[in-house]
Amino acid sequence: MIETRNLVKNFGSLEVLKGINCRIREGEVVCMIGASGSGKSTFLRCLNLLEQPTSGEVYIDGVCLTDPKVDINKVRQKTGMVFQLFNLFPHKTALENVTLAPKKVLRLSPKEADERGRALLAKVGLSDKAHAYPSQLSGGQQQRVAIARALAMQPKVMLFDEPTSSLDPEMVGEVLAVMKDLAREGMTMAVVTHEMGFAREVADRVLFLHEGQILEEGTPQEIFSSPREERTRAFLSKIL
Amino acid sequence: MDIAIQILPTLLLGAEVTLRLTVISVSIGCVIGLFMGLARLSKSRILRAVGTAYVDFFRGTPLLVQALVIYFGIPQLINDFQTWLAVTYDIPRFQTFRFDIWAAAILVCSLNSGAYIAEIFRAGVQSIERGQMEAARSLGMTHVQAMRYVILPQAFKRVIPPLGNEFILMLKDTSILSAIGFVELTRRAQLINADLVAPFPIYITAALIYLAMTLTFSRLVDWLERRLKTE
Ligand SMILES: Nc1ncnc2c1ncn2[C@@H]1O[C@H](COP(=O)(O)OP(=O)(O)OP(=O)(O)O)[C@@H](O)[C@H]1O
Ligand SMILES: [Mg+2]
């Protein structure tokens, strides 16, 4: 479903991704961990071309994104993204946040978009907040709206970049619960997270990124309980 | 005092011209400013260069000189060109070109305020967090859709206070057009003074009329700003 071949990304002279080969199958949930600056966000953002890779290839659902002929707006519809800081549209209500792209990009009628939007808000447990503005919602609620907004485009893949790390601890659970539901429904997910509990319970695989490379990968059990690499061990001992 | 009361109606006619010119020019300036501001943010080098040249020229030269160039300079250019055409290609001359003074005044003030407003819009768009554009693009919106539905609506709110200030500055700066003979408030005062020769009461009355207008608008801007904040 997602595949990268020798993915390299430089910012000027800084080499952030140094040739990443990675394959994520349909329905798989992959968590990525790694120190700050190791390139986790950059990698995720290359998967929907929010960052243009310097070289290498990215395939989503069989389409090569790095091919200049590809309509990037079409491919982005297949990949939903959830950001650390939510990035909800502050001038729109929760429902409008969810329905904006379906209306403007998919050209759904207002009625269809509304139905889809309300169903998704119900799914993330926020039916009663449809007409609230982001500033009137808690962090956890905002992030759930952001997930609903991404789902509204009916993506095949969901990318999460530290979706809970700017939340107060008591709100982390409600967001993770929504993500677990998604995983259970078979969504293909790439998640940058340091929530080890979530990774253990939900992830099929964990990747450890170090200085722009996948240093180690394995099942959560393998990575968390018996990491092979010294660096993985050092990193885990710092965050656990 | 008597003089002030006697001339007040005439001065108010001038104030009306000042106000009308300002409203028209700042409105046109907003349209120019929006496009030029977006041009300065565009990915195209040529558009950026056009926007920058425009903004630099109109912010980097005095309004009075701009008025002189447009009102006197451009007609000369056009008429010289006509003469050249007539001489070289035997094309009959049209009428000698002259600017309608209202048209010239509106043109100068619109172009001038457009340059300042371009910078206001540019700053407004740049003040929107990068994550907004990224979120919109990640949903499959094109750059234009993201601008139109996500960035600009938020930017418009933020530029209302600086636009209000630009309006007030323009209101005062229109007095410069008295130098090309455009009869707004200041020119009215000068004309009255040529007649009555009482500079103090005449000019102080004109000043107070400007003050009344600018204070009214700055209060209005303050009020709008407070309302937008609480929203
Ligand atoms: N737009 C950019 N321009 C220049 N350098 C950048 C840019 N974005 C990221 N970097 C650099 O790339 C490196 C990797 O950044 P990235 O955000 O991918 O790390 P990360 O693993 O997500 O870290 P964190 O855990 O702090 O989010 C960092 O050194 C960062 O400074
Ligand atoms: Mg990051």
Side-chain angles (χ1 to χ4, degrees):
Chain A
M1 181 60 68
I2 305 177
E3 185 173 351
T4 69
R5 286 191 203 150
N6 210 11
L7 179 65
V8 173
K9 174 67 187 177
N10 300 338
F11 287 112
S13 59
L14 183 70
E15 212 181 10
V16 178
L17 300 180
K18 301 174 184 163
I20 293 197
N21 292 296
C22 165
R23 206 173 213 167
I24 300 177
R25 289 183 305 276
E26 184 161 3
E28 203 176 16
V29 177
V30 172
C31 284
M32 288 177 252
I33 59 174
S36 180
S38 57
K40 306 179 297 289
S41 299
T42 306
F43 177 60
L44 214 57
R45 294 156 57 85
C46 280
L47 298 182
N48 66 353
L49 291 208
L50 280 184
E51 301 290 357
Q52 184 70 41
T54 307
S55 68
E57 286 146 39
V58 179
Y59 294 86
I60 300 282
D61 198 21
V63 179
C64 178
L65 305 202
T66 35
D67 180 344
K69 288 195 292 283
V70 157
D71 178 359
I72 184 56
N73 299 311
K74 270 261 147 35
V75 187
R76 283 201 182 117
Q77 295 169 26
K78 287 194 208 168
T79 58
M81 187 167 218
V82 176
F83 302 85
Q84 184 174 354
L85 295 173
F86 329 134
N87 298 355
L88 288 182
F89 308 136
H91 59 303
K92 306 248 174 229
T93 63
L95 183 62
E96 288 165 349
N97 263 277
V98 179
T99 57
L100 181 66
K103 276 190 214 158
K104 302 303 177 190
V105 180
L106 302 179
R107 310 224 162 267
L108 292 193
S109 71
K111 191 165 162 283
E112 285 171 301
D114 251 42
E115 273 165 22
R116 185 182 287 191
R118 284 181 192 281
L120 284 166
L121 285 178
K123 185 185 168 88
V124 300
L126 290 172
S127 292
D128 53 330
K129 298 290 183 191
H131 299 295
Y133 284 90
S135 59
Q136 300 164 327
L137 299 174
S138 74
Q141 291 170 333
Q142 288 187 55
Q143 193 62 300
R144 285 186 281 152
V145 173
I147 294 174
R149 177 177 69 177
L151 291 174
M153 296 300 286
Q154 302 183 325
K156 301 208 154 175
V157 171
M158 285 285 283
L159 310 173
F160 293 85
D161 191 359
E162 305 202 39
T164 57
S165 54
S166 59
L167 295 178
D168 291 336
E170 72 268 22
M171 294 170 186
V172 170
E174 62 193 62
V175 172
L176 292 180
V178 170
M179 292 168 61
K180 281 178 202 167
D181 282 347
L182 263 184
R184 220 171 288 133
E185 290 165 17
M187 177 63 80
T188 309
M189 294 163 61
V191 187
V192 174
T193 185
H194 292 150
E195 291 293 333
M196 296 308 153
F198 174 81
R200 258 178 216 284
E201 190 181 334
V202 183
D204 298 300
R205 227 163 5 122
V206 175
L207 311 182
F208 175 65
L209 263 78
H210 180 74
E211 294 181 355
Q213 283 176 315
I214 298 178
L215 193 69
E216 184 167 0
E217 64 172 288
T219 63
Q221 177 72 18
E222 284 164 355
I223 298 286
F224 296 136
S225 310
S226 51
R228 289 186 306 274
E229 298 281 340
E230 184 51 44
R231 292 227 171 74
T232 317
R233 228 168 293 154
F235 173 74
L236 288 171
S237 70
K238 253 183 269 162
I239 61 161
L240 289 182
Chain B
M1 195 64 210
D2 285 350
I3 287 189
I5 290 168
Q6 179 197 335
I7 62 172
L8 194 59
T10 321
L11 283 182
L12 285 178
L13 284 180
E16 199 232 310
V17 171
T18 291
L19 198 59
R20 189 183 305 185
L21 174 64
T22 310
V23 170
I24 295 173
S25 301
V26 172
S27 306
I28 299 174
C30 279
V31 177
I32 301 176
L34 178 60
F35 285 105
M36 285 297 177
L38 290 178
R40 293 206 68 188
L41 293 168
S42 135
K43 272 190 229 138
S44 144
R45 250 217 204 138
I46 298 167
L47 282 179
R48 271 204 318 267
V50 169
T52 307
Y54 166 74
V55 168
D56 282 351
F57 181 81
F58 282 97
R59 296 203 320 164
T61 55
L63 180 59
L64 175 56
V65 178
Q66 292 164 16
L68 295 173
V69 167
I70 287 179
Y71 187 55
F72 298 115
I74 291 197
Q76 190 218 327
L77 200 67
I78 292 176
N79 291 326
D80 283 1
F81 181 65
Q82 285 198 25
T83 310
W84 179 80
L85 279 181
V87 172
T88 349
Y89 297 105
D90 213 17
I91 294 169
R93 293 183 59 117
F94 297 102
Q95 224 174 334
T96 303
F97 179 78
R98 285 210 51 167
F99 247 126
D100 172 59
I101 192 136
W102 259 103
I106 290 172
L107 188 62
V108 174
C109 292
S110 305
L111 286 171
N112 183 274
S113 75
Y116 288 92
I117 293 172
E119 286 298 272
I120 292 174
F121 277 133
R122 184 177 66 91
V125 167
Q126 282 181 327
S127 77
I128 306 297
E129 301 67 34
R130 224 168 59 125
Q132 291 291 307
M133 177 57 90
E134 292 182 346
R137 295 308 299 276
S138 78
L139 290 165
M141 287 190 218
T142 63
H143 185 83
V144 172
Q145 286 174 326
M147 270 290 173
R148 175 152 166 222
Y149 301 117
V150 176
I151 307 295
L152 288 179
Q154 296 182 60
F156 280 138
K157 246 190 195 174
R158 291 195 196 174
V159 300
I160 287 175
L163 277 183
N165 288 329
E166 168 57 22
F167 182 88
I168 291 167
L169 289 176
M170 197 71 235
L171 186 84
K172 292 186 292 178
D173 282 351
T174 52
S175 65
I176 286 168
L177 296 176
S178 61
I180 61 166
F182 182 70
V183 188
E184 35 65 76
L185 175 53
T186 303
R187 185 77 189 140
R188 278 266 178 209
Q190 287 174 331
L191 292 174
I192 295 171
N193 188 48
D195 214 19
L196 303 179
V197 196
F200 185 76
I202 293 172
Y203 290 134
I204 199 79
T205 310
L208 290 175
I209 296 175
Y210 276 113
L211 184 65
M213 291 195 285
T214 53
L215 279 183
T216 309
F217 281 106
S218 68
R219 288 294 126 82
L220 202 70
V221 172
D222 286 349
W223 175 80
L224 259 177
E225 203 172 349
R226 253 179 288 122
R227 261 203 55 171
L228 287 175
K229 259 200 201 112
T230 53
E231 237 176 45

